[in-house]
């Protein structure tokens, strides 16, 4: 059992506990693998009704883009992100992250608009770990929040390509908003249109959207391709990005920043002790002090260095050479040099020069690959590499944080590990790197020949693996071999594989490198297809040929070459009608694609006829309530809308929506039951369990949940229990108690029990003033809410110093020119106006106006609202001419905004920040604080 648990932890193995006959066991394994593929890789929901016997045969061979209409989706890219997230959150040590979690929570709760939050730190400081742990907490405690994340891997890998990142984020948004709509594949347009997609899709989402991009500075030309980050974000969208301090673009350094501090001596000791304890290694006091002294510089007190140091000591400590290894470690002043020591330690443990040579080969070919190398590829590249030797080497390399697995491929766990291998084995010599690339080129070229031979002879399902398509063109590009790259691109199966997995930008960049424009590329593909058609015989080959023609037609359509796209799509349709059957679902697919070209070409009559044929075939093949039928209905509705036939379009959309709604309910039933069961178990544990900080936090979360559902009585019970438990467990002066007090105060404020609210806010403020830094966001919230309450109660003199403190805190947190400071200034100005102190109010309004204009431009709604306030102030002071001028400017901004959005004002924010109620359009999280995350 211990061994099984260890294997499951190390390799994410799936253990099937079965006793019985061989056939029954094989069936169990088959079902388990099928479930993994559908749930973990393809992201499908499984229910008991979706058993093996009920799957439609046509469905199983259908095109893979169904979920997103005509949008192409790569399961490998998605799986890579899931695994990157799991790997990042794998550590059980959180290194005192609570203080950072609180700051991240405050960002989510803060009123919009706010720029992205920059999480910065040196290489290996724990940024990925922090973000992944926080994502887990958000997913657990805020189920209505949609979190989109992307973990960028090594530079030049697929995960660092900007167009693929933006496409993936857009598709995830579409998936959650039930929106099936045409999406451009042109990289430049995709990046340009993303802000509009974000605005459109965020308006459809009931809740907050958080976008997290880890290691964003590793994206190729990040500043150029991530321009949308500097635009004002939609009100319910928050963005968090992490960067290395050294490589952060200059323009981004003005954003609010959460900098990860170096590890303190306590965290260093905790990390090293945890690693040593796992190997039953005990350090003496003297050895602990030596390590503590060593881990004090900026490069030796980051999380990665210390973790690696602990693993190195634990590994060698078993052999009793702790002092010797300590001496060697203390000579390593950065992570790269420590990795070199680790590698040499692994080399020394090997029994022969042959094994040492194989270690070098493994690391070098992984390093020069595009996205990594699989174990089977390694054994084929190096026939002398036995399974036993490979398993032993990989165990050591994985254990010591050099290699990891992603999508079944071996890749470097950290960038510093790859840098060390280049220095150690390649001496950063381009000739050596080129030689290893050539080895991979030869291997994947041979694989391509074998695969093409096999698929010509036997099977037409998997012509070229994603591995060959991913690696070979990229390797030719890196080698600068344009001739071979050109030849590789004309291999129809390679290009088809890249295109159908959505790697459109990558494919286009290869063609640009070989110096071909769009028209030349189209002509060359068409000629290649004609040649291939001459050798195609039999049903399987013809079906394959139809797929290739369809792919070419769609590719040309995406390039905007509409007239050239028709011929291949028409040929695909003809082949399918002949080789399959005129009523086959794949014929409907051809009709749908051809109709899409005619729509773009504005030949609506042709398009309508084709869509109707596709609809009829789909209804006959799948039934009237299948998602594919909904897809055709949506396409027809869009066509009618373009022709101003709104009534017909609306009828079709309603019909489509009902089909999609029913399908979504069927898919979501199991998931919903699981959530209810989880909540029931949580409540049972709270009722019967002991007093713990975790239970107190969950009670607080439940209180917030009932508050948001307007169940104030139940909310009060949970919040009171949370406060009482925290006072018993943590003491009445703990910051968590201040959180409970703050939440209870907000609840009493909502119930109009102002005296109770005032007492609790004052207690919370007292605790936070003593426990937190003067510029801490949690302190700022309590100050703000108590100030608003004082104003509401008419205690204006008591409110003034708190409003002044709010301005001071925001200036320290964000800098004097941040929009948040302007809002605090406006709040103070409004208060002065109520107290008839117009002279004090005037400079505050003027300063706020200057900040808003500099931050948002002269036509932003906040500028207009501040101008209106200044106009009123000037009028009251008797300066009517200035008042008229200011009011005229404010109205111009209002009219421009109304024209922009078709007569509906979008601004949910008032410059007089305190005019909103607790149940305003702002996130309730700004008032009720969720637990430590």
């Amino acid at each position: 059992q211990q061994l099984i648990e260890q294997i499951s932890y190390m390799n994410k193995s799936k253990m099937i506990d079965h006793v019985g006959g061989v056939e029954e066991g094989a069936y169990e394994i088959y079902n388990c693998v099928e479930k993994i593929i559908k749930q973990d890789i393809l992201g499908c929901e499984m229910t008991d009704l979706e058993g093996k016997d009920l799957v439609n045969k046509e469905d199983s061979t259908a095109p893979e883009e169904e979920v997103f209409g005509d949008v192409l989706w790569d399961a490998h890219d998605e799986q890579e992100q899931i695994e990157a997230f799991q790997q990042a959150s794998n550590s059980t040590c959180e290194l005192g992250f609570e203080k950072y979690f609180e700051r991240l929570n405050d960002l989510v709760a803060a009123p919009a608009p706010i720029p992205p939050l920059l999480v910065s730190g040196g290489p290996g400081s724990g940024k990925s770990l922090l973000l992944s742990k926080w994502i887990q907490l958000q997913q657990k405690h805020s189920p209505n929040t949609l979190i989109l994340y992307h973990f960028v891997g090594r530079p030049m890998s697929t995960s660092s390509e900007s167009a693929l990142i933006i496409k993936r984020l857009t598709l995830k948004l579409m998936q959650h908003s039930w929106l099936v709509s045409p999406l451009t594949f042109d990289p430049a347009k995709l990046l340009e249109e993303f802000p509009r997609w974000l605005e459109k899709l965020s308006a459809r989402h009931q809740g907050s959207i958080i976008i997290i991009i880890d290691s964003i500075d590793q994206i190729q030309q990040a500043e150029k391709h991530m321009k949308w980050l500097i635009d004002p974000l939609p009100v319910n969208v928050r963005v968090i990005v992490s960067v290395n301090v050294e490589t952060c673009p200059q323009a981004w350094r003005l954003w609010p920043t959460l900098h990860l501090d170096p590890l303190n001596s306590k965290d260093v000791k905790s990390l090293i002790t945890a690693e040593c304890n796992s190997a039953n290694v005990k350090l003496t006091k003297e050895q602990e002090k030596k390590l503590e002294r060593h881990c004090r510089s900026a490069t030796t007190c980051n999380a990665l260095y210390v973790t690696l140091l602990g693993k190195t000591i634990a590994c060698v400590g078993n052999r009793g050479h702790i002092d010797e290894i300590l001496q060697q470690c203390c000579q390593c002043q950065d992570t790269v040099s420590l990795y070199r020591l680790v590698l040499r330690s692994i080399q020394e443990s090997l029994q022969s020069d042959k094994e040492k040579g194989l270690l070098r080969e493994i690391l070098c070919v992984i390093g020069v690959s595009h996205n990594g190398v699989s174990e089977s590829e390694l054994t084929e590249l190096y026939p002398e590499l036995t399974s036993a030797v490979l398993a032993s080497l990989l165990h050591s390399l994985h254990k010591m944080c050099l290699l990891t697995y992603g999508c079944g491929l071996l890749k470097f766990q950290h960038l510093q590990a790859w840098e060390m291998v280049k220095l150690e084995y390649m001496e950063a010599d381009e000739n050596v790197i080129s030689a290893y690339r050539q080895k991979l080129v030869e291997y994947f070229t041979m694989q391509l020949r074998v695969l093409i031979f096999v698929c010509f002879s036997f099977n037409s399902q998997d012509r070229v693996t994603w591995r060959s398509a991913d690696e070979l063109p990229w390797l030719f590009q890196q080698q600068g071999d344009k001739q071979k790259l050109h030849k590789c691109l004309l291999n129809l199966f390679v290009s088809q594989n890249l295109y159908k997995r959505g790697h459109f930008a990558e494919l286009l960049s290869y063609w640009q490198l070989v110096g071909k424009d769009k028209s030349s590329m189209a002509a060359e593909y068409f000629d290649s297809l004609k040649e291939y058609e001459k050798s195609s015989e039999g049903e399987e080959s013809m079906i394959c040929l139809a797929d290739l023609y369809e792919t070419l037609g769609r590719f040309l359509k995406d390039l905007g070459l509409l007239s050239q796209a028709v011929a291949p799509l028409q040929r695909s349709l003809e082949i399918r009608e002949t080789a399959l059957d005129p009523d086959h679902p794949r014929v409907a697919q051809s009709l749908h694609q051809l109709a899409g070209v005619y729509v773009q070409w504005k030949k609506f009559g042709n398009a309508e006829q084709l869509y109707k044929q596709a609809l009829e075939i789909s209804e006959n093949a799948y039934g009237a309530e299948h998602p594919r039928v909904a897809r055709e209905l949506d396409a027809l509705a869009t066509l009618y809308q373009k022709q101003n036939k709104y009534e017909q379009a609306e009828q079709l959309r309603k019909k489509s929506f009902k089909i999609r709604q029913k399908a979504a309910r069927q898919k979501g039933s199991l998931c919903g039951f699981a959530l209810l069961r989880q909540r029931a178990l949580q409540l049972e544990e709270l009722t019967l369990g002991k007093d713990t900080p975790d239970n107190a936090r969950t009670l607080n979360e439940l209180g917030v949940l009932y508050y948001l559902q307007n169940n104030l009585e139940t909310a009060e019970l949970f919040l009171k229990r949370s406060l009482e438990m925290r006072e018993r467990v943590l003491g009445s002066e703990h910051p968590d108690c201040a959180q409970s007090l703050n939440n209870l105060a907000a609840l009493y404020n909502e119930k109009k029990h102002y005296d109770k609210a005032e007492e609790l806010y004052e207690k919370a403020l007292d605790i936070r003033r003593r426990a937190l830094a003067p510029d801490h966001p949690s302190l700022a919230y309590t100050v703000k809410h108590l100030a608003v309450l004082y104003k509401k109660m008419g205690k204006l003199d008591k409110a003034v110093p708190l409003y002044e403190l709010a301005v001071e805190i925001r200036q320290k947190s964000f800098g004097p020119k941040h929009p948040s400071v302007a809002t605090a200034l406006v709040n103070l100005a409004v208060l002065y106006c109520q107290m008839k102190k117009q002279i004090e109010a005037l400079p505050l309004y003027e300063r706020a106006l200057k900040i808003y204009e500099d931050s948002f431009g002269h036509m932003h709604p906040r500028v207009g609202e501040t101008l209106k306030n200044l106009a009123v102030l000037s009028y009251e002071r008797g300066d009517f001419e200035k008042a008229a001028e200011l009011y005229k400017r404010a109205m111009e901004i209002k009219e421009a905004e109304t024209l922009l959005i078709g007569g509906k004002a979008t601004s949910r924010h008032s410059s007089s920040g305190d005019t909103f109620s607790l149940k305003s359009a702002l996130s309730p999280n700004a008032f009720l604080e969720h637990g430590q995350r």
Side-chain angles (χ1 to χ4, degrees):
Q1 186 62 35
Q2 211 170 16
L3 178 63
I4 286 170
E5 286 173 7
Q6 193 175 354
I7 291 168
S8 298
Y9 174 75
M10 291 297 288
N11 296 322
K12 301 188 182 73
S13 300
K14 204 80 171 175
M15 309 305 298
I16 300 169
D17 192 6
H18 172 74
V19 178
V22 175
E23 286 184 9
E24 191 183 356
Y27 183 68
E28 288 270 336
I29 293 166
Y30 177 89
N31 284 340
C32 184
V33 173
E34 183 182 47
K35 190 178 279 189
I36 291 166
I37 290 168
K38 286 189 173 180
Q39 288 183 310
D40 296 351
I41 298 177
L42 299 177
C44 304
E45 290 287 352
M46 291 284 285
T47 70
D48 292 337
L49 297 175
E50 294 176 338
K52 184 168 162 267
D53 298 332
L54 297 177
V55 175
N56 186 312
K57 189 182 175 189
E58 297 294 356
D59 232 13
S60 63
T61 60
E64 66 276 14
E65 63 270 16
E66 179 55 43
V67 180
F68 298 109
D70 294 334
V71 178
L72 300 166
W73 182 253
D74 188 359
H76 293 290
D77 290 348
E78 189 57 30
Q79 179 65 8
E80 183 181 41
Q81 283 303 309
I82 292 167
E83 290 184 7
F85 170 66
Q86 288 170 343
Q87 182 192 315
S89 59
N90 206 22
S91 173
T92 53
C93 184
E94 296 192 7
L95 308 170
F97 279 168
E98 289 82 4
K99 59 182 178 182
Y100 301 129
F101 291 157
E102 204 168 311
R103 178 75 188 276
L104 291 167
N105 291 343
D106 290 340
L107 169 89
V108 175
I114 50 174
L117 177 72
L118 209 61
V119 177
S120 75
S125 56
K127 300 183 290 294
S128 303
L129 176 61
L130 168 68
L131 291 175
S132 58
K133 290 287 185 185
W134 185 71
I135 289 169
Q136 286 179 325
L137 289 168
Q138 284 289 317
Q139 288 171 336
K140 180 181 177 184
H141 297 294
S142 304
N144 289 333
T145 299
L146 171 59
I147 300 176
L148 308 178
Y149 59 78
H150 189 91
F151 287 80
V152 178
R154 205 178 75 193
M156 304 294 287
S157 67
T158 302
S159 67
S160 69
E161 290 175 13
S162 54
L164 281 176
I165 294 169
I166 295 299
K167 189 197 79 171
R168 180 177 171 271
L169 294 175
T170 306
L171 292 178
K172 297 296 277 185
L173 279 168
M174 288 170 68
Q175 184 184 20
H176 284 274
S177 62
W178 286 13
L179 187 66
V180 178
S181 185
L183 184 69
T184 180
F185 275 73
D186 186 310
K189 285 183 182 174
L190 192 66
L191 295 166
E192 182 188 316
E193 290 176 9
F194 181 68
R196 290 196 286 275
W197 275 107
L198 191 58
E199 185 77 45
K200 184 178 179 180
L201 296 170
S202 65
R204 296 169 67 99
H205 181 70
Q206 300 299 313
S208 298
I209 297 173
I210 302 172
I211 298 174
I212 296 168
I213 305 178
D214 180 50
S215 301
I216 194 170
D217 49 328
Q218 300 295 334
I219 294 172
Q220 299 154 33
Q221 296 180 292
E223 209 169 349
K224 175 186 172 185
H225 294 310
M226 295 288 152
K227 282 181 181 174
W228 60 275
L229 288 170
I230 61 175
D231 295 330
L233 297 164
V235 290
N236 61 332
V237 175
R238 300 290 181 272
V239 175
I240 301 167
V241 297
S242 76
V243 293
N244 280 333
V245 176
E246 301 88 347
T247 52
C248 176
Q250 193 62 39
W252 297 358
R253 294 175 188 260
L254 300 173
W255 294 344
T257 302
L258 173 61
H259 186 75
L260 268 59
D261 299 324
L263 297 183
N264 57 39
S265 56
K266 181 183 173 184
D267 288 334
V268 169
K269 184 179 177 182
S270 169
L271 267 178
I272 293 173
T273 303
E275 291 294 344
C276 290
N277 286 347
S278 67
N280 293 319
V281 172
K282 190 76 177 169
L283 298 176
T284 65
K285 292 287 183 187
E286 186 56 40
Q287 288 166 343
E288 285 180 357
K289 284 180 182 177
K290 189 172 184 178
L291 283 169
E292 190 183 323
R293 285 195 298 272
H294 173 60
C295 297
R296 283 179 179 171
S297 72
T299 55
T300 60
C301 62
N302 66 66
L304 176 57
Y305 182 94
V306 175
T307 302
L308 196 56
L309 183 63
K311 285 181 182 292
T312 307
I313 294 165
C315 187
V316 178
N318 279 324
R319 302 196 290 270
H321 305 303
I322 295 179
D323 286 324
E324 184 184 334
I325 196 65
L326 266 180
Q327 188 64 36
Q328 292 173 3
C329 288
C330 288
Q331 292 170 10
C332 301
Q333 293 302 314
D334 57 36
T335 309
V336 172
S337 59
L338 187 56
Y339 261 127
R340 183 182 277 124
L341 178 64
V342 167
L343 180 62
R344 288 175 181 170
S345 171
I346 293 171
Q347 286 173 329
E348 287 168 12
S349 69
L350 299 177
Q351 296 175 354
S352 66
D353 290 340
K354 181 183 174 182
E355 287 183 4
K356 290 174 185 176
L358 286 169
L359 172 66
R360 173 190 176 121
E361 295 297 302
I362 289 169
L363 291 173
C364 289
V365 292
I366 290 171
V368 301
S369 67
H370 188 194
N371 289 311
V373 179
S374 72
E375 289 183 34
S376 60
E377 287 165 354
L378 284 174
T379 54
E380 288 172 358
L381 277 161
Y382 302 101
E384 68 275 26
L385 181 61
T386 64
S387 297
V389 171
L390 179 61
S392 175
L393 289 174
L394 294 183
H395 173 73
S396 300
L397 294 167
H398 187 276
K399 181 182 175 184
M400 298 309 292
C401 300
L402 271 96
L403 296 183
T404 187
Y405 289 88
C407 269
L409 301 179
L410 288 157
K411 49 187 75 178
F412 286 101
Q413 196 158 334
H414 298 282
L415 193 57
Q416 294 92 323
W418 166 225
E419 287 170 3
M420 178 275 296
V421 167
K422 274 198 291 189
L423 292 170
E424 183 73 6
Y425 285 144
M426 301 179 178
E427 298 172 353
D429 186 340
E430 267 305 317
N431 292 328
V432 179
I433 294 171
S434 180
Y436 279 108
R437 282 198 191 120
Q438 188 57 35
K439 189 171 184 68
L440 283 178
V441 164
E442 290 167 6
Y443 170 77
F444 284 113
T445 303
M446 183 57 67
Q447 292 298 305
L448 205 56
R449 287 177 189 150
V450 171
L451 282 162
I452 295 298
F453 173 77
V454 168
C455 66
F456 279 167
S457 306
F458 305 106
N459 190 351
S460 68
Q461 291 302 311
D462 296 308
R463 318 224 158 256
V464 171
T465 67
W466 66 284
R467 292 292 297 130
S468 303
D470 262 6
E471 294 292 333
L472 205 49
W474 185 85
L475 287 163
F476 286 136
Q477 182 193 46
Q478 296 303 304
Q479 294 285 68
D481 195 333
K482 294 182 182 180
Q483 189 178 353
K484 286 183 179 174
L485 174 59
H486 187 201
K487 189 178 176 182
C488 180
L489 293 173
L490 287 174
N491 181 312
L492 299 166
F493 300 112
V494 169
S495 294
Q496 182 189 48
N497 190 286
L498 283 170
Y499 174 75
K500 292 195 83 172
R501 290 192 293 116
H503 290 225
F504 182 90
E506 189 181 343
L507 188 55
L508 209 54
S509 70
Y510 292 145
W511 276 104
Q512 286 166 351
L513 185 69
V514 297
K516 299 288 181 181
D517 62 18
K518 292 178 182 179
S519 297
S520 304
M521 176 175 57
E524 290 193 27
Y525 271 138
F526 206 74
D527 290 344
S528 295
L529 258 174
K530 286 291 182 188
E531 282 300 309
Y532 176 67
E533 187 168 357
K534 289 176 185 176
S535 62
S536 296
E537 292 179 6
E539 187 180 304
E540 286 291 319
S541 290
M542 293 307 289
I543 292 169
C544 162
L545 180 65
D547 289 346
L548 287 169
Y549 269 120
E550 183 190 290
T551 302
L552 176 59
R554 294 179 66 175
F555 184 46
L556 297 177
K557 183 185 80 171
D558 290 333
L559 287 169
L561 303 173
L562 301 180
S563 58
Q564 284 146 293
V566 171
L569 288 173
Q570 188 70 49
R571 184 68 186 125
S572 170
L573 175 61
E574 290 166 6
I575 294 168
R576 283 173 175 168
E577 284 179 330
T578 307
L580 295 167
D581 186 82
D583 291 327
H584 194 280
R586 282 187 179 271
V587 172
Q589 170 74 8
S590 287
L591 291 164
H592 180 93
Q593 295 300 337
L594 191 54
V597 175
Y598 284 128
V599 169
Q600 286 191 26
W601 216 349
K602 299 198 185 313
K603 295 189 175 183
F604 298 136
N606 301 44
E608 183 177 358
Q609 186 184 352
L610 294 169
Y611 276 140
K612 283 181 174 176
Q613 281 180 259
L615 176 62
E616 187 181 348
I617 293 170
S618 296
E619 283 179 333
N620 290 334
Y622 301 115
E625 295 189 338
H626 194 276
R628 285 171 187 265
V629 174
R631 174 196 186 190
E632 303 305 338
L633 290 168
D634 277 330
L636 263 172
T638 303
L639 177 65
Y640 287 143
Q641 194 166 336
K642 286 179 184 289
Q643 297 174 276
N644 300 326
K645 298 177 181 178
Y646 298 116
E647 194 174 329
Q648 288 169 275
E650 185 61 24
Q651 286 174 355
L652 294 176
R653 287 208 190 282
K654 282 180 179 175
K655 198 173 174 183
S656 166
F657 182 77
K658 282 180 181 175
I659 295 170
R660 293 188 187 282
Q661 198 175 38
K662 186 176 180 181
R665 275 201 299 268
Q666 287 172 348
K667 282 188 176 183
S669 59
L670 186 65
C671 178
F673 176 74
L675 287 171
L676 286 172
R677 187 170 176 274
Q678 184 182 347
R679 176 61 73 191
L681 289 171
Q682 195 177 40
L683 286 168
E684 186 181 347
E685 183 184 333
L686 284 169
T687 308
L688 305 173
K690 299 175 182 176
D691 287 358
T692 66
D694 278 346
N695 278 350
R697 183 182 64 222
T698 307
L699 285 165
N700 179 68
E701 295 292 339
L702 286 166
V704 172
L705 182 68
Y706 281 113
Y707 170 86
L708 295 176
Q709 294 170 344
N710 211 30
N711 188 342
L712 301 184
E713 302 307 319
T714 310
E716 184 179 353
L717 288 172
F718 277 104
L719 291 172
K720 277 184 173 178
R721 283 186 62 194
S722 172
L723 175 60
E724 289 161 6
M725 193 178 287
R726 280 173 166 171
E727 285 177 338
R728 285 195 298 271
V729 176
L730 304 170
S732 59
E733 299 301 307
H734 194 277
D736 283 6
C737 294
Q739 184 190 63
S740 292
L741 289 163
N742 198 85
N743 288 346
L744 264 174
L747 182 118
Y748 287 132
N749 185 29
E750 182 72 4
K751 293 172 80 173
K752 296 185 170 50
H753 297 170
Y754 298 133
D755 290 337
K756 283 185 179 180
E758 180 185 5
E759 181 186 349
L760 294 173
Y761 271 138
E762 285 175 345
K763 279 185 184 178
L765 180 60
D766 187 49
I767 293 169
R768 285 182 164 170
R769 265 185 160 152
R770 281 184 275 109
L772 304 176
D775 61 344
H776 197 283
S778 294
L779 176 62
Y781 282 127
T782 306
V783 166
K784 169 73 185 297
H785 299 151
L786 183 55
V788 172
L789 183 64
Y790 280 149
K791 194 168 80 166
K792 194 184 288 183
M793 296 172 75
K795 299 181 179 182
L796 303 185
D797 290 333
K798 280 182 130 182
V800 169
L802 291 179
Y803 274 112
E804 288 172 342
L805 181 57
V807 173
E808 188 180 322
I809 290 171
R810 291 192 186 191
Q811 285 184 153
K812 286 179 182 174
S813 299
F814 305 114
K817 295 182 180 179
H818 195 275
S820 183
V821 174
T823 304
L825 289 165
V826 168
N827 290 339
L828 183 55
V830 169
L831 185 65
Y832 279 138
C833 287
Q834 285 184 332
M835 298 171 77
K836 308 298 180 191
K837 294 183 177 181
Q838 279 83 359
I839 296 172
E840 286 89 342
L842 182 61
L844 299 173
Y845 274 133
E846 288 172 341
R847 188 181 156 201
L849 179 64
K850 179 75 168 65
I851 294 171
Y852 282 143
E853 285 178 336
D854 291 346
S855 301
F856 303 130
H858 289 262
M859 296 300 288
H860 194 274
R862 287 203 178 187
V863 173
E865 288 160 357
T866 311
L867 285 167
K868 196 161 63 176
N869 287 339
L870 270 169
V872 172
L873 192 60
S874 299
Y875 184 87
E876 288 175 352
R877 295 180 67 206
D879 192 343
F880 304 127
E881 191 175 333
K882 188 176 181 182
E885 182 191 335
L886 292 166
Y887 192 75
K888 184 184 175 188
R889 276 187 64 197
M891 288 301 99
E892 285 170 355
I893 293 169
K894 186 72 176 172
E895 284 166 12
E897 184 192 0
T898 305
L899 284 171
L900 184 68
I901 46 105
K904 291 184 183 178
T906 55
S907 176
R908 297 184 183 182
H909 310 288
S910 169
S911 294
S912 57
D914 292 337
T915 59
F916 47 71
S917 72
L918 192 57
K919 292 275 178 70
S920 72
L922 292 176
S923 166
N925 299 349
F927 299 90
L928 282 181
E929 302 166 1
H930 291 257
Q932 298 287 331
R933 305 232 174 139

